[in-house]
């Protein structure tokens, strides 16, 4: 399209034919310089993007070669093992520890001594409980003495705060004494004993249940808000279920990963309470972490595997139906594409109205040789003036 015709039309936001020589930025600069307003909407002849027939045929044949689910799982697992052998070994080792490791048995003498020391530590435990009660009561008194929104504190409030601080120091001292008494008892059995392993298991399952509870609550709220948000939109049931499933997977991933982090955070206190030497402490800590990470990974693999296996089965069933309908060779793809319509002498008339008649002068310009988008010769005539512009394009095929 000649530049004069493109400028005249695009300045009013009317584009009769696509012009690669001008851009929206150049158009805005031209309009700003000339002080003209842009009216109407831009007219862009659009072309439907469609895949090449050969590419489409190759894609259909590739999808048609999808293996069954059990074969795909086997091939994917085999490829993962070959690519990440160390990760796979640690995962299997952690699962073996989680399923079969119960700790080393201790002698009767060590077990009796451990039980006796635990009974002696009950005095420290009762002192911790009393200190907790005192702190709770002092905190209630302090909060009741504070002013509006806790912004002011009188003499009674200050006295209550000092009392709360004193009880908190007593609680800290009682907890330290309890830890020393329990640590002395646990040192008689060791960090690899069945008592230590069971304590680590209890800690893991406690944090694991808390992570699952977080994921369930988050999924429930997501279901409520997603359902309310979908009421005003034209969304199908399949799309809603897919979005909800992805959100549930994200919630469980966040919850279980947070549970794993919490387990690792509290695990070191358990290991330290058995008073092992530094090397034994590090080894036991790493073994407990590997076992816990393997269990979390297994749970997430089951969740993601269930979701994606369902999607895989639907795609696999669709490809089998395509092969049945299209024969053993699969679908042959589209026989044509946009822009390949047959016939010569096809005419297209585009008329665009101008709201500013003074923008384009009355003139008639004939361009005997103009090329369309497919490279064919085209005959173009342009007539302007008044409140209309008419462009007639005659070419042997659609552009």
């Amino acid at each position: 399209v000649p530049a004069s015709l493109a400028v005249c039309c695009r300045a009013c936001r009317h584009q009769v034919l696509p012009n690669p020589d001008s851009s929206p930025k150049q158009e805005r600069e031209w309009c700003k310089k000339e002080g003209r307003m842009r009216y109407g909407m831009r007219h862009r002849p659009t072309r439907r993007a469609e895949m090449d027939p050969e590419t489409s045929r190759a894609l259909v044949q590739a999808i048609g070669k999808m293996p069954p689910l059990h074969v795909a799982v086997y091939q994917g697992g085999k490829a993962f093992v070959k690519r990440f052998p160390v990760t796979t070994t640690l995962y299997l080792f952690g699962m073996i520890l989680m399923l079969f490791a119960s700790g080393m048995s201790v002698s009767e003498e060590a077990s009796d001594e451990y039980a006796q020391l635990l009974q002696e530590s009950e005095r420290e435990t009762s002192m911790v409980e009393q200190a907790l009660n005192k702190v709770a009561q002092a905190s209630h008194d302090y909060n009741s003495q504070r002013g509006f929104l806790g912004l002011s504190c009188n003499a009674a409030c200050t006295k209550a705060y000092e009392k709360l601080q004193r009880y908190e120091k007593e609680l800290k001292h009682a907890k330290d004494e309890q830890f020393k008494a329990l640590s002395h008892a646990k040192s008689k059995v060791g960090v690899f004993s069945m008592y230590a392993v069971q304590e680590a298991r209890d800690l893991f399952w406690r944090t694991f249940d808390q992570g699952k509870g977080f994921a369930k609550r988050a999924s429930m709220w997501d279901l409520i808000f997603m359902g309310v948000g979908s009421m005003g939109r034209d969304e199908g049931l399949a799309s809603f279920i897919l979005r909800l499933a992805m959100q549930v997977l994200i919630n469980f991933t966040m919850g279980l990963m947070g549970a794993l982090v919490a387990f690792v955070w509290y695990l070191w206190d358990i290991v330290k309470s058995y008073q092992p030497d530094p090397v034994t402490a590090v080894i036991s800590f790493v073994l407990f972490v590997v076992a816990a990470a393997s269990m979390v990974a297994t749970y997430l693999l089951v969740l993601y595997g269930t979701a994606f296996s369902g999607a895989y089965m639907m795609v696999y069933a669709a490809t089998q139906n395509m092969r049945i309908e299209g024969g053993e060779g699969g679908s042959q793809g589209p026989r044509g594409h946009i822009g390949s319509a047959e016939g010569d002498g096809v005419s297209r008339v585009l008329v665009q109205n101008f709201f500013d008649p003074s923008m384009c002068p009355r003139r008639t310009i004939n361009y005997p040789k103009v090329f369309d988008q497919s490279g064919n010769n085209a005959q173009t005539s342009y007539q302007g003036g008044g409140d209309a512009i008419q462009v007639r394009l005659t070419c042997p095929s659609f552009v």
Side-chain angles (χ1 to χ4, degrees), residues 1-12 14-17 19-22 30 36 354 359-361 363-367 370 380-384 389 391:
V1 182
S4 59
L5 176 61
V7 169
C8 182
C9 296
R10 293 187 63 144
C12 291
H14 290 281
Q15 181 184 2
V16 180
L17 294 175
N19 179 28
D21 296 333
S22 61
W30 188 90
R36 299 183 183 275
F354 269 84
M359 180 167 290
C360 300
R363 57 182 176 177
T364 301
I365 304 175
N366 294 323
Y367 298 95
V370 180
T380 306
S381 62
Y382 163 66
Q383 295 179 354
I389 290 179
V391 177

Side-chain angles (χ1 to χ4, degrees), residues 50-365:
E50 191 163 329
M51 191 177 299
D52 184 77
E54 296 182 357
T55 306
S56 177
R57 187 182 304 111
L59 179 60
V60 170
Q61 292 178 355
I63 296 177
K65 296 179 181 179
M66 292 177 60
L69 180 61
H70 64 281
V71 178
V73 172
Y74 172 76
Q75 293 176 353
K78 183 178 179 181
F80 183 87
V81 170
K82 288 184 178 180
R83 187 173 182 180
F84 304 101
V86 178
T87 304
T88 305
T89 303
L90 289 176
Y91 168 75
L92 295 177
F93 181 66
M95 287 304 301
I96 292 174
L97 291 176
M98 197 69 187
L99 295 175
F100 303 105
S102 59
M104 300 175 58
S105 60
V106 297
S107 61
E108 294 184 1
E109 293 80 5
S111 180
D112 294 339
E113 188 175 4
Y114 172 72
Q116 182 180 358
L117 292 175
L118 282 181
Q119 291 180 355
E120 294 178 358
S121 65
E122 291 180 357
R123 177 177 174 275
E124 285 76 7
T125 304
S126 62
M127 291 179 62
V128 170
E129 294 177 354
Q130 294 176 5
L132 284 172
N133 294 331
K134 291 181 180 180
V135 168
Q137 184 63 35
S139 178
H140 179 268
D141 296 339
Y142 168 67
N143 291 327
S144 62
Q145 294 292 336
R146 297 174 69 182
F148 179 72
L149 297 179
L151 300 178
S152 62
C153 188
N154 53 17
C157 175
T158 304
K159 184 177 180 181
Y161 179 69
E162 293 176 354
K163 182 179 179 181
L164 174 61
Q165 287 185 326
R166 185 172 65 255
Y167 285 155
E168 286 179 348
K169 291 180 180 179
E170 293 180 1
L171 175 61
K172 184 178 181 303
H173 178 72
K175 285 185 175 181
D176 292 340
E177 294 296 328
Q178 181 191 29
F179 181 81
K180 292 179 180 179
L182 292 176
S183 178
H184 180 64
K186 292 178 180 179
S187 64
K188 303 301 179 180
V189 293
V191 71
F192 288 114
S193 64
M194 57 183 182
Y195 301 103
V197 173
Q198 186 61 40
E199 188 175 0
R201 284 180 179 273
D202 294 339
L203 174 64
F204 171 76
W205 290 117
R206 186 166 59 251
T207 55
F208 188 82
D209 291 338
Q210 292 175 356
K212 288 196 302 181
F214 164 81
K216 292 177 181 178
R217 291 189 299 270
S219 301
M220 180 189 67
W221 287 111
D222 288 334
L223 175 61
I224 295 175
F225 287 108
M226 290 174 63
V228 173
S230 300
M231 294 175 62
R233 297 186 301 175
D234 187 11
E235 184 179 16
L237 180 62
S239 175
F240 177 78
I241 294 176
L242 180 61
R243 290 198 304 120
L244 179 61
M246 294 300 299
Q247 193 63 41
V248 169
L249 292 177
I250 294 174
N251 292 335
F252 272 91
T253 303
M254 294 176 58
L256 295 183
M257 293 304 296
L260 181 61
V261 172
F263 169 76
V264 174
W265 179 267
Y266 294 112
L267 177 63
W268 181 249
D269 291 335
I270 294 178
V271 173
K272 186 174 63 174
S273 65
Y274 284 85
Q275 299 183 4
D277 59 90
V279 177
T280 305
V282 172
I283 293 175
S284 61
F285 181 81
V286 171
L287 292 179
F288 291 151
V289 171
V290 169
S294 299
M295 190 62 197
V296 171
T298 302
Y299 196 91
L300 292 178
L301 282 175
V302 171
L303 288 179
Y304 280 91
T306 303
F308 287 104
S309 61
Y312 186 91
M313 289 299 296
M314 289 190 293
V315 175
Y316 181 75
T319 57
Q320 296 302 313
N321 293 334
M322 292 172 60
R323 295 182 61 182
I324 294 174
E325 295 176 359
E328 292 296 329
S331 176
Q332 299 299 321
R335 296 185 177 181
H337 57 90
I338 298 299
S340 62
E342 298 179 358
D344 295 333
V346 180
S347 299
R348 179 180 296 174
V349 178
L350 300 176
V351 178
Q352 297 291 339
N353 293 327
F354 269 84
F355 297 94
D356 189 357
S358 63
M359 180 167 290
C360 300
R362 177 180 294 279
R363 57 182 176 177
T364 301
I365 304 175

